[in-house]
Amino acid sequence: MFRLVRGTGHILDVLDVLHRDQVALRIHDGAFSAVDLTARPPSTGELLSTVKFMVQTLAAAGELQRGLQRELTYDGLRAAEAKGSKGGRRPAVAVDKTEAVRAAYLEGRSIAALARDHGVSRGAIRTAVADLLPEHTAADPDAPAPELPVTLDMPGKVADFLRAAELEPAERAALDQGVTVRRGQGYTLRVTAVPAVHHRLLARCQSLDGGPGAPAVPAQRKARREYENRVNAIPARIGA
């Protein structure tokens, strides 16, 4: 349940989307396993008050749990700092010591020993001697440059549709790692991915434009075209 919920307002929005698409949401085990969390009486069409209360209570409990975890984490960091531990990533090899590190490595000094000697991580030593490592291979000058990630705002209606679709792992990861930005009654999902993933996600929501036997919902079609305009503008953004 908590993996689905970002907050009390968010879960109510999710339940509205599920109700619109005629999808029931049930918890399979635990205290609420027998409750239909999308139950709405036909007379009002509104979420049952008791169900709404339980959902908000669950979401509030999740927020409390995450808040307590953050507080405990900060307390632990402060305690570590009081003991002299700085935490975080260990420093890189100083520029004026790089040549000495490289020379020592060529003389047979191990990466672990060099990391201890200079008070840095093994990764920092590997970075300093990267071109000297046995597994190092020269880059192909004719190889195409790798794609850089691009951040786009995906309309919430598009994100809701894609979350229920069959996606490749890279596409699913891009959605899962997206940041929700509240906008009035709706939201957008700020997705960071390479252009190829954005283009594949756009292709998967093509059906929102409608087709034979499946008339388009104007709001969904508009949302898909907004996302299409942003995806098609990627080359210009990269060039800028």
Side-chain angles (χ1 to χ4, degrees):
M1 181 69 180
F2 294 148
R3 291 182 181 274
L4 178 68
V5 178
R6 294 180 183 272
T8 52
H10 179 253
I11 184 58
L12 294 177
D13 289 342
V14 170
L15 292 180
D16 285 340
V17 171
L18 295 178
H19 174 68
R20 181 198 66 200
D21 295 339
Q22 298 182 345
V23 178
L25 172 64
R26 293 183 176 87
I27 301 177
H28 289 286
D29 53 22
F32 303 105
S33 58
V35 179
D36 180 359
L37 296 180
T38 56
R40 298 169 185 252
S43 56
T44 63
E46 300 292 334
L47 195 66
L48 283 174
S49 298
T50 52
V51 173
K52 185 176 182 179
F53 172 76
M54 286 188 293
V55 168
Q56 289 176 319
T57 301
L58 285 170
E63 290 182 356
L64 174 63
Q65 182 185 43
R66 289 190 293 272
L68 290 174
Q69 287 174 340
R70 285 195 297 270
E71 291 172 8
L72 291 173
T73 299
Y74 294 147
D75 288 344
L77 290 174
R78 285 193 293 269
E81 289 174 358
K83 294 179 181 179
S85 176
K86 295 182 179 179
R89 182 177 296 179
R90 298 181 72 177
V93 177
V95 175
D96 59 345
K97 295 184 178 180
T98 300
E99 289 304 320
V101 168
R102 292 168 62 83
Y105 177 77
L106 289 174
E107 292 171 0
R109 191 77 170 157
S110 71
I111 289 177
L114 288 170
R116 289 194 299 271
D117 292 346
H118 293 274
V120 297
S121 67
R122 296 184 185 185
I125 298 296
R126 284 186 171 274
T127 299
V129 301
D131 59 319
L132 305 177
L133 296 174
E135 63 268 24
H136 173 76
T137 56
D140 182 358
D142 297 326
E147 287 189 315
L148 298 177
V150 177
T151 300
L152 297 180
D153 282 353
M154 177 186 292
K157 288 180 171 57
V158 173
D160 293 337
F161 175 83
L162 289 173
R163 283 194 174 105
E166 291 292 334
L167 302 177
E168 295 294 331
E171 300 162 3
R172 180 67 63 186
L175 283 183
D176 291 345
Q177 294 168 13
V179 178
T180 299
V181 180
R182 306 300 304 182
R183 298 188 183 280
Q185 296 299 317
Y187 76 99
T188 61
L189 189 67
R190 191 153 291 164
V191 178
T192 300
V194 296
V197 170
H198 280 297
H199 282 284
R200 293 204 300 269
L201 289 171
L202 176 62
R204 292 188 185 279
C205 61
Q206 186 69 37
S207 60
L208 292 180
D209 277 351
V217 177
Q220 291 180 330
R221 180 172 56 191
K222 179 181 177 182
R224 195 205 71 82
R225 291 182 177 175
E226 287 179 2
Y227 182 50
E228 181 179 32
N229 291 337
R230 292 165 187 168
V231 172
N232 290 338
I234 286 177
R237 293 184 54 176
I238 293 176

